[in-house]
Amino acid sequence: VKELPQYLLHGWRYIGFGPDGKLYLAMGAACNVCHHEDELNGTIVRMNPDGSDMEIYARGVRNSVGFDWDPATGELWFTDNGRDLLGNDLPSDELNHAPVAGLDFGFPTCHSGSIPDPELGSDENYTCNEKVPPAWMLGPHVAPLGMRFYNGSMLPEEYQGSIIIAEHGSWNRDAPIGYRVAAISLQNNTAVGQQILAEGWLDSSANDTVWGRPVDVLPIEDGSLLVSDDLNGVIYRISYAQD
């Protein structure tokens, strides 16, 4: 069993068991943007439940704090937080799709699929067209965290089968963004649209006052949706009933 690295930055581990019975872990990059000597830096790894046979499943993943498998295909989708300090509008945070092992999603040399890093992306050995582009760009600094596929029947039809994502919200953007729950719709295994399922934790009418920060989402058996908020230390339940 290989010991996992201990990072101070992005060192929190998001884990989950895949349909293959393997345990998956997101290994956030130990920096804002850097080439790191540790091959596990900025990856998603998988292993047997006892920790044996660990392998890198996906590379170029700066900091994923949420992933789930499509119940229809068994394929992995995950959120990824883009680098900081490129301004208010770059790069976009991402929803990514990893149907097979071995894909490279670009970090640290490429962001949002096509933006070379100004510090690390000029090397001719690194071209963005060799990296896997985002399945959907969520917006700059929205800080997507937990995500789940929704297959319940309570929410309106446009949300059924979609990916529900908790956006924790920006910390260093002049005009705050995020602080909401988004829903990404899929068709033919492809992300095709975005709706906002829940918002209001950012109050633009009160000088952008923030009173809540969504962290994770969980559909439950009755079809309603749980949303955790680490600013208030609470869990909300979102339900829906037709008039």
Side-chain angles (χ1 to χ4, degrees), residues 10 23 32 46 54 59 63 65 77 83 100-101 126 141 143 151-152 156 159-160 176 184-185 205 209 215 240 243:
H10 303 149
L23 178 63
N32 175 35
R46 68 178 175 181
M54 185 171 70
R59 301 179 185 274
N63 186 33
V65 196
W77 294 71
R83 67 155 292 179
V100 296
Y126 296 93
H141 311 297
N151 283 289
Y159 296 109
Q160 294 174 21
I184 308 300
S185 56
S205 67
T209 299
V215 176
Y240 175 81
D243 294 334

PDB file of all heavy atoms in Angstrom, residues 10 23 32 46 54 59 63 65 77 83 100-101 126 141 143 151-152 156 159-160 176 184-185 205 209 215 240 243:
ATOM      1  N   HIS A  10      -4.946  22.332  -0.834  1.00  0.00           N
ATOM      2  CA  HIS A  10      -5.745  21.349  -1.582  1.00  0.00           C
ATOM      3  C   HIS A  10      -5.492  19.929  -1.084  1.00  0.00           C
ATOM      4  O   HIS A  10      -5.500  18.981  -1.857  1.00  0.00           O
ATOM      5  CB  HIS A  10      -5.450  21.430  -3.086  1.00  0.00           C
ATOM      6  CG  HIS A  10      -5.671  22.776  -3.676  1.00  0.00           C
ATOM      7  ND1 HIS A  10      -4.941  23.253  -4.750  1.00  0.00           N
ATOM      8  CD2 HIS A  10      -6.536  23.777  -3.354  1.00  0.00           C
ATOM      9  CE1 HIS A  10      -5.342  24.467  -5.053  1.00  0.00           C
ATOM     10  NE2 HIS A  10      -6.310  24.822  -4.219  1.00  0.00           N
ATOM     11  N   LEU A  23     -11.906   2.216  -5.203  1.00  0.00           N
ATOM     12  CA  LEU A  23     -11.995   3.451  -4.437  1.00  0.00           C
ATOM     13  C   LEU A  23     -11.251   4.544  -5.188  1.00  0.00           C
ATOM     14  O   LEU A  23     -10.066   4.393  -5.513  1.00  0.00           O
ATOM     15  CB  LEU A  23     -11.383   3.255  -3.049  1.00  0.00           C
ATOM     16  CG  LEU A  23     -11.363   4.497  -2.151  1.00  0.00           C
ATOM     17  CD1 LEU A  23     -12.779   4.976  -1.847  1.00  0.00           C
ATOM     18  CD2 LEU A  23     -10.593   4.217  -0.867  1.00  0.00           C
ATOM     19  N   ASN A  32      -1.068  26.807  -6.376  1.00  0.00           N
ATOM     20  CA  ASN A  32      -2.003  27.459  -7.284  1.00  0.00           C
ATOM     21  C   ASN A  32      -1.782  26.927  -8.689  1.00  0.00           C
ATOM     22  O   ASN A  32      -2.703  26.451  -9.344  1.00  0.00           O
ATOM     23  CB  ASN A  32      -1.825  28.974  -7.233  1.00  0.00           C
ATOM     24  CG  ASN A  32      -2.701  29.690  -8.249  1.00  0.00           C
ATOM     25  OD1 ASN A  32      -3.825  29.272  -8.528  1.00  0.00           O
ATOM     26  ND2 ASN A  32      -2.176  30.759  -8.829  1.00  0.00           N
ATOM     27  N   ARG A  46      -7.207   5.688  -8.396  1.00  0.00           N
ATOM     28  CA  ARG A  46      -8.126   4.652  -7.938  1.00  0.00           C
ATOM     29  C   ARG A  46      -7.312   3.475  -7.425  1.00  0.00           C
ATOM     30  O   ARG A  46      -6.148   3.282  -7.816  1.00  0.00           O
ATOM     31  CB  ARG A  46      -9.088   4.221  -9.039  1.00  0.00           C
ATOM     32  CG  ARG A  46      -8.463   3.491 -10.203  1.00  0.00           C
ATOM     33  CD  ARG A  46      -9.524   3.058 -11.213  1.00  0.00           C
ATOM     34  NE  ARG A  46      -8.926   2.462 -12.413  1.00  0.00           N
ATOM     35  CZ  ARG A  46      -9.608   2.025 -13.456  1.00  0.00           C
ATOM     36  NH1 ARG A  46     -10.925   2.108 -13.462  1.00  0.00           N
ATOM     37  NH2 ARG A  46      -8.995   1.500 -14.507  1.00  0.00           N
ATOM     38  N   MET A  54      -2.855   0.789  -6.533  1.00  0.00           N
ATOM     39  CA  MET A  54      -3.239   2.167  -6.819  1.00  0.00           C
ATOM     40  C   MET A  54      -2.692   2.583  -8.179  1.00  0.00           C
ATOM     41  O   MET A  54      -1.553   2.281  -8.524  1.00  0.00           O
ATOM     42  CB  MET A  54      -2.719   3.122  -5.743  1.00  0.00           C
ATOM     43  CG  MET A  54      -3.210   4.555  -5.941  1.00  0.00           C
ATOM     44  SD  MET A  54      -2.838   5.648  -4.552  1.00  0.00           S
ATOM     45  CE  MET A  54      -1.058   5.774  -4.707  1.00  0.00           C
ATOM     46  N   ARG A  59      -5.220  12.647 -15.169  1.00  0.00           N
ATOM     47  CA  ARG A  59      -4.183  13.631 -14.876  1.00  0.00           C
ATOM     48  C   ARG A  59      -4.673  15.028 -15.240  1.00  0.00           C
ATOM     49  O   ARG A  59      -5.703  15.201 -15.872  1.00  0.00           O
ATOM     50  CB  ARG A  59      -2.910  13.325 -15.672  1.00  0.00           C
ATOM     51  CG  ARG A  59      -2.300  11.961 -15.404  1.00  0.00           C
ATOM     52  CD  ARG A  59      -1.051  11.737 -16.252  1.00  0.00           C
ATOM     53  NE  ARG A  59      -0.517  10.387 -16.085  1.00  0.00           N
ATOM     54  CZ  ARG A  59       0.326  10.024 -15.123  1.00  0.00           C
ATOM     55  NH1 ARG A  59       0.748  10.940 -14.260  1.00  0.00           N
ATOM     56  NH2 ARG A  59       0.747   8.787 -15.036  1.00  0.00           N
ATOM     57  N   ASN A  63      -7.951  20.637  -8.884  1.00  0.00           N
ATOM     58  CA  ASN A  63      -8.530  20.393  -7.565  1.00  0.00           C
ATOM     59  C   ASN A  63      -9.992  19.997  -7.717  1.00  0.00           C
ATOM     60  O   ASN A  63     -10.873  20.851  -7.782  1.00  0.00           O
ATOM     61  CB  ASN A  63      -8.413  21.643  -6.676  1.00  0.00           C
ATOM     62  CG  ASN A  63      -8.881  21.372  -5.257  1.00  0.00           C
ATOM     63  OD1 ASN A  63      -8.731  20.272  -4.734  1.00  0.00           O
ATOM     64  ND2 ASN A  63      -9.455  22.383  -4.616  1.00  0.00           N
ATOM     65  N   VAL A  65     -13.256  18.493  -6.129  1.00  0.00           N
ATOM     66  CA  VAL A  65     -13.856  18.279  -4.812  1.00  0.00           C
ATOM     67  C   VAL A  65     -15.255  17.693  -4.985  1.00  0.00           C
ATOM     68  O   VAL A  65     -16.145  17.894  -4.164  1.00  0.00           O
ATOM     69  CB  VAL A  65     -13.882  19.590  -4.003  1.00  0.00           C
ATOM     70  CG1 VAL A  65     -14.119  19.310  -2.532  1.00  0.00           C
ATOM     71  CG2 VAL A  65     -12.561  20.348  -4.144  1.00  0.00           C
ATOM     72  N   TRP A  77     -17.734  11.552 -14.057  1.00  0.00           N
ATOM     73  CA  TRP A  77     -17.779  12.999 -14.278  1.00  0.00           C
ATOM     74  C   TRP A  77     -17.266  13.665 -13.006  1.00  0.00           C
ATOM     75  O   TRP A  77     -17.474  13.160 -11.902  1.00  0.00           O
ATOM     76  CB  TRP A  77     -19.197  13.464 -14.564  1.00  0.00           C
ATOM     77  CG  TRP A  77     -19.782  12.953 -15.857  1.00  0.00           C
ATOM     78  CD1 TRP A  77     -20.169  11.672 -16.133  1.00  0.00           C
ATOM     79  CD2 TRP A  77     -20.068  13.718 -17.036  1.00  0.00           C
ATOM     80  NE1 TRP A  77     -20.667  11.595 -17.420  1.00  0.00           N
ATOM     81  CE2 TRP A  77     -20.628  12.832 -17.996  1.00  0.00           C
ATOM     82  CE3 TRP A  77     -19.923  15.064 -17.374  1.00  0.00           C
ATOM     83  CZ2 TRP A  77     -21.025  13.244 -19.259  1.00  0.00           C
ATOM     84  CZ3 TRP A  77     -20.319  15.489 -18.633  1.00  0.00           C
ATOM     85  CH2 TRP A  77     -20.864  14.578 -19.563  1.00  0.00           C
ATOM     86  N   ARG A  83      -7.272  27.653 -11.749  1.00  0.00           N
ATOM     87  CA  ARG A  83      -6.232  28.389 -11.025  1.00  0.00           C
ATOM     88  C   ARG A  83      -6.696  29.807 -10.696  1.00  0.00           C
ATOM     89  O   ARG A  83      -7.633  30.352 -11.284  1.00  0.00           O
ATOM     90  CB  ARG A  83      -4.944  28.443 -11.838  1.00  0.00           C
ATOM     91  CG  ARG A  83      -5.008  29.257 -13.116  1.00  0.00           C
ATOM     92  CD  ARG A  83      -3.616  29.760 -13.526  1.00  0.00           C
ATOM     93  NE  ARG A  83      -3.105  30.761 -12.591  1.00  0.00           N
ATOM     94  CZ  ARG A  83      -1.914  31.338 -12.704  1.00  0.00           C
ATOM     95  NH1 ARG A  83      -1.100  31.018 -13.692  1.00  0.00           N
ATOM     96  NH2 ARG A  83      -1.518  32.244 -11.835  1.00  0.00           N
ATOM     97  N   VAL A 100     -12.834   6.963 -19.692  1.00  0.00           N
ATOM     98  CA  VAL A 100     -11.801   5.926 -19.637  1.00  0.00           C
ATOM     99  C   VAL A 100     -10.625   6.462 -18.833  1.00  0.00           C
ATOM    100  O   VAL A 100     -10.483   7.664 -18.620  1.00  0.00           O
ATOM    101  CB  VAL A 100     -11.314   5.521 -21.049  1.00  0.00           C
ATOM    102  CG1 VAL A 100     -12.448   4.899 -21.845  1.00  0.00           C
ATOM    103  CG2 VAL A 100     -10.728   6.722 -21.789  1.00  0.00           C
ATOM    104  N   ALA A 101      -9.763   5.543 -18.409  1.00  0.00           N
ATOM    105  CA  ALA A 101      -8.556   5.925 -17.677  1.00  0.00           C
ATOM    106  C   ALA A 101      -7.511   6.491 -18.630  1.00  0.00           C
ATOM    107  O   ALA A 101      -7.503   6.202 -19.828  1.00  0.00           O
ATOM    108  CB  ALA A 101      -7.993   4.718 -16.936  1.00  0.00           C
ATOM    109  N   TYR A 126       4.107  21.387 -24.672  1.00  0.00           N
ATOM    110  CA  TYR A 126       2.776  21.366 -24.091  1.00  0.00           C
ATOM    111  C   TYR A 126       1.831  22.183 -24.968  1.00  0.00           C
ATOM    112  O   TYR A 126       1.966  23.398 -25.067  1.00  0.00           O
ATOM    113  CB  TYR A 126       2.805  21.952 -22.666  1.00  0.00           C
ATOM    114  CG  TYR A 126       3.640  21.140 -21.706  1.00  0.00           C
ATOM    115  CD1 TYR A 126       4.975  21.448 -21.486  1.00  0.00           C
ATOM    116  CD2 TYR A 126       3.092  20.061 -21.020  1.00  0.00           C
ATOM    117  CE1 TYR A 126       5.753  20.710 -20.608  1.00  0.00           C
ATOM    118  CE2 TYR A 126       3.859  19.311 -20.145  1.00  0.00           C
ATOM    119  CZ  TYR A 126       5.185  19.642 -19.930  1.00  0.00           C
ATOM    120  OH  TYR A 126       5.947  18.900 -19.066  1.00  0.00           O
ATOM    121  N   HIS A 141     -14.223  31.179 -11.227  1.00  0.00           N
ATOM    122  CA  HIS A 141     -14.148  31.294  -9.769  1.00  0.00           C
ATOM    123  C   HIS A 141     -15.454  30.971  -9.049  1.00  0.00           C
ATOM    124  O   HIS A 141     -15.650  31.396  -7.906  1.00  0.00           O
ATOM    125  CB  HIS A 141     -13.663  32.694  -9.365  1.00  0.00           C
ATOM    126  CG  HIS A 141     -12.443  33.151 -10.091  1.00  0.00           C
ATOM    127  ND1 HIS A 141     -11.228  32.506  -9.993  1.00  0.00           N
ATOM    128  CD2 HIS A 141     -12.255  34.197 -10.962  1.00  0.00           C
ATOM    129  CE1 HIS A 141     -10.340  33.139 -10.757  1.00  0.00           C
ATOM    130  NE2 HIS A 141     -10.942  34.154 -11.360  1.00  0.00           N
ATOM    131  N   ALA A 143     -16.169  28.139  -7.969  1.00  0.00           N
ATOM    132  CA  ALA A 143     -15.748  27.136  -6.976  1.00  0.00           C
ATOM    133  C   ALA A 143     -16.716  25.961  -6.882  1.00  0.00           C
ATOM    134  O   ALA A 143     -17.370  25.749  -5.853  1.00  0.00           O
ATOM    135  CB  ALA A 143     -15.536  27.773  -5.608  1.00  0.00           C
ATOM    136  N   ASN A 151     -31.566  11.418 -10.404  1.00  0.00           N
ATOM    137  CA  ASN A 151     -32.452  10.492 -11.106  1.00  0.00           C
ATOM    138  C   ASN A 151     -33.756  10.296 -10.365  1.00  0.00           C
ATOM    139  O   ASN A 151     -34.433   9.287 -10.551  1.00  0.00           O
ATOM    140  CB  ASN A 151     -31.742   9.146 -11.318  1.00  0.00           C
ATOM    141  CG  ASN A 151     -30.731   9.213 -12.445  1.00  0.00           C
ATOM    142  OD1 ASN A 151     -31.089   9.300 -13.609  1.00  0.00           O
ATOM    143  ND2 ASN A 151     -29.448   9.209 -12.088  1.00  0.00           N
ATOM    144  N   GLY A 152     -34.095  11.269  -9.536  1.00  0.00           N
ATOM    145  CA  GLY A 152     -35.362  11.206  -8.844  1.00  0.00           C
ATOM    146  C   GLY A 152     -36.500  11.677  -9.730  1.00  0.00           C
ATOM    147  O   GLY A 152     -36.312  12.061 -10.891  1.00  0.00           O
ATOM    148  N   PRO A 156     -38.808  19.006 -11.262  1.00  0.00           N
ATOM    149  CA  PRO A 156     -39.379  19.093 -12.615  1.00  0.00           C
ATOM    150  C   PRO A 156     -38.561  18.313 -13.639  1.00  0.00           C
ATOM    151  O   PRO A 156     -37.361  18.040 -13.449  1.00  0.00           O
ATOM    152  CB  PRO A 156     -39.342  20.592 -12.908  1.00  0.00           C
ATOM    153  CG  PRO A 156     -39.415  21.235 -11.558  1.00  0.00           C
ATOM    154  CD  PRO A 156     -38.645  20.324 -10.648  1.00  0.00           C
ATOM    155  N   TYR A 159     -34.858  18.806 -14.795  1.00  0.00           N
ATOM    156  CA  TYR A 159     -33.740  18.478 -13.911  1.00  0.00           C
ATOM    157  C   TYR A 159     -33.451  16.983 -13.856  1.00  0.00           C
ATOM    158  O   TYR A 159     -32.408  16.579 -13.343  1.00  0.00           O
ATOM    159  CB  TYR A 159     -34.019  18.992 -12.498  1.00  0.00           C
ATOM    160  CG  TYR A 159     -34.117  20.494 -12.408  1.00  0.00           C
ATOM    161  CD1 TYR A 159     -35.335  21.116 -12.172  1.00  0.00           C
ATOM    162  CD2 TYR A 159     -32.989  21.291 -12.576  1.00  0.00           C
ATOM    163  CE1 TYR A 159     -35.435  22.493 -12.098  1.00  0.00           C
ATOM    164  CE2 TYR A 159     -33.075  22.678 -12.498  1.00  0.00           C
ATOM    165  CZ  TYR A 159     -34.299  23.272 -12.265  1.00  0.00           C
ATOM    166  OH  TYR A 159     -34.383  24.640 -12.202  1.00  0.00           O
ATOM    167  N   GLN A 160     -34.337  16.170 -14.338  1.00  0.00           N
ATOM    168  CA  GLN A 160     -34.162  14.728 -14.221  1.00  0.00           C
ATOM    169  C   GLN A 160     -33.043  14.256 -15.149  1.00  0.00           C
ATOM    170  O   GLN A 160     -32.985  14.621 -16.319  1.00  0.00           O
ATOM    171  CB  GLN A 160     -35.488  14.027 -14.527  1.00  0.00           C
ATOM    172  CG  GLN A 160     -36.551  14.338 -13.485  1.00  0.00           C
ATOM    173  CD  GLN A 160     -37.910  13.785 -13.834  1.00  0.00           C
ATOM    174  OE1 GLN A 160     -38.030  12.862 -14.638  1.00  0.00           O
ATOM    175  NE2 GLN A 160     -38.956  14.334 -13.230  1.00  0.00           N
ATOM    176  N   PRO A 176     -18.483  39.175  -6.753  1.00  0.00           N
ATOM    177  CA  PRO A 176     -18.648  37.766  -6.359  1.00  0.00           C
ATOM    178  C   PRO A 176     -19.548  37.009  -7.327  1.00  0.00           C
ATOM    179  O   PRO A 176     -20.444  37.577  -7.956  1.00  0.00           O
ATOM    180  CB  PRO A 176     -19.285  37.862  -4.967  1.00  0.00           C
ATOM    181  CG  PRO A 176     -18.920  39.217  -4.460  1.00  0.00           C
ATOM    182  CD  PRO A 176     -18.890  40.092  -5.677  1.00  0.00           C
ATOM    183  N   ILE A 184     -26.632  20.811 -14.706  1.00  0.00           N
ATOM    184  CA  ILE A 184     -26.135  20.660 -16.071  1.00  0.00           C
ATOM    185  C   ILE A 184     -26.904  19.529 -16.740  1.00  0.00           C
ATOM    186  O   ILE A 184     -26.885  18.385 -16.262  1.00  0.00           O
ATOM    187  CB  ILE A 184     -24.628  20.341 -16.088  1.00  0.00           C
ATOM    188  CG1 ILE A 184     -23.850  21.353 -15.242  1.00  0.00           C
ATOM    189  CG2 ILE A 184     -24.111  20.313 -17.516  1.00  0.00           C
ATOM    190  CD1 ILE A 184     -23.988  22.789 -15.691  1.00  0.00           C
ATOM    191  N   SER A 185     -27.580  19.848 -17.828  1.00  0.00           N
ATOM    192  CA  SER A 185     -28.368  18.836 -18.536  1.00  0.00           C
ATOM    193  C   SER A 185     -27.508  18.110 -19.554  1.00  0.00           C
ATOM    194  O   SER A 185     -26.577  18.681 -20.137  1.00  0.00           O
ATOM    195  CB  SER A 185     -29.567  19.486 -19.212  1.00  0.00           C
ATOM    196  OG  SER A 185     -29.164  20.530 -20.080  1.00  0.00           O
ATOM    197  N   SER A 205     -28.483  42.759  -3.788  1.00  0.00           N
ATOM    198  CA  SER A 205     -29.191  43.975  -3.381  1.00  0.00           C
ATOM    199  C   SER A 205     -28.690  44.532  -2.062  1.00  0.00           C
ATOM    200  O   SER A 205     -29.110  45.614  -1.641  1.00  0.00           O
ATOM    201  CB  SER A 205     -30.688  43.692  -3.275  1.00  0.00           C
ATOM    202  OG  SER A 205     -30.967  42.792  -2.216  1.00  0.00           O
ATOM    203  N   THR A 209     -23.798  40.805  -0.087  1.00  0.00           N
ATOM    204  CA  THR A 209     -23.705  40.080   1.181  1.00  0.00           C
ATOM    205  C   THR A 209     -23.831  38.582   0.926  1.00  0.00           C
ATOM    206  O   THR A 209     -24.711  38.131   0.193  1.00  0.00           O
ATOM    207  CB  THR A 209     -24.822  40.523   2.141  1.00  0.00           C
ATOM    208  OG1 THR A 209     -24.671  41.918   2.402  1.00  0.00           O
ATOM    209  CG2 THR A 209     -24.758  39.745   3.449  1.00  0.00           C
ATOM    210  N   VAL A 215     -21.811  23.437  -0.377  1.00  0.00           N
ATOM    211  CA  VAL A 215     -20.620  22.573  -0.411  1.00  0.00           C
ATOM    212  C   VAL A 215     -20.885  21.263  -1.139  1.00  0.00           C
ATOM    213  O   VAL A 215     -20.097  20.836  -1.974  1.00  0.00           O
ATOM    214  CB  VAL A 215     -20.122  22.276   1.021  1.00  0.00           C
ATOM    215  CG1 VAL A 215     -18.953  21.294   0.995  1.00  0.00           C
ATOM    216  CG2 VAL A 215     -19.707  23.558   1.714  1.00  0.00           C
ATOM    217  N   TYR A 240     -40.082  19.855  -4.130  1.00  0.00           N
ATOM    218  CA  TYR A 240     -40.900  20.511  -5.150  1.00  0.00           C
ATOM    219  C   TYR A 240     -42.275  19.858  -5.187  1.00  0.00           C
ATOM    220  O   TYR A 240     -42.403  18.644  -5.121  1.00  0.00           O
ATOM    221  CB  TYR A 240     -40.235  20.373  -6.528  1.00  0.00           C
ATOM    222  CG  TYR A 240     -41.047  20.915  -7.675  1.00  0.00           C
ATOM    223  CD1 TYR A 240     -41.064  22.270  -7.960  1.00  0.00           C
ATOM    224  CD2 TYR A 240     -41.801  20.058  -8.480  1.00  0.00           C
ATOM    225  CE1 TYR A 240     -41.820  22.782  -9.008  1.00  0.00           C
ATOM    226  CE2 TYR A 240     -42.557  20.551  -9.527  1.00  0.00           C
ATOM    227  CZ  TYR A 240     -42.554  21.918  -9.793  1.00  0.00           C
ATOM    228  OH  TYR A 240     -43.297  22.406 -10.838  1.00  0.00           O
ATOM    229  N   ASP A 243     -48.483  23.055  -8.128  1.00  0.00           N
ATOM    230  CA  ASP A 243     -49.664  23.713  -7.583  1.00  0.00           C
ATOM    231  C   ASP A 243     -50.921  22.924  -7.922  1.00  0.00           C
ATOM    232  O   ASP A 243     -51.021  22.322  -8.980  1.00  0.00           O
ATOM    233  CB  ASP A 243     -49.787  25.128  -8.158  1.00  0.00           C
ATOM    234  CG  ASP A 243     -48.650  26.021  -7.701  1.00  0.00           C
ATOM    235  OD1 ASP A 243     -48.092  25.737  -6.624  1.00  0.00           O
ATOM    236  OD2 ASP A 243     -48.338  26.989  -8.440  1.00  0.00           O
TER     237      ASP A 243
END
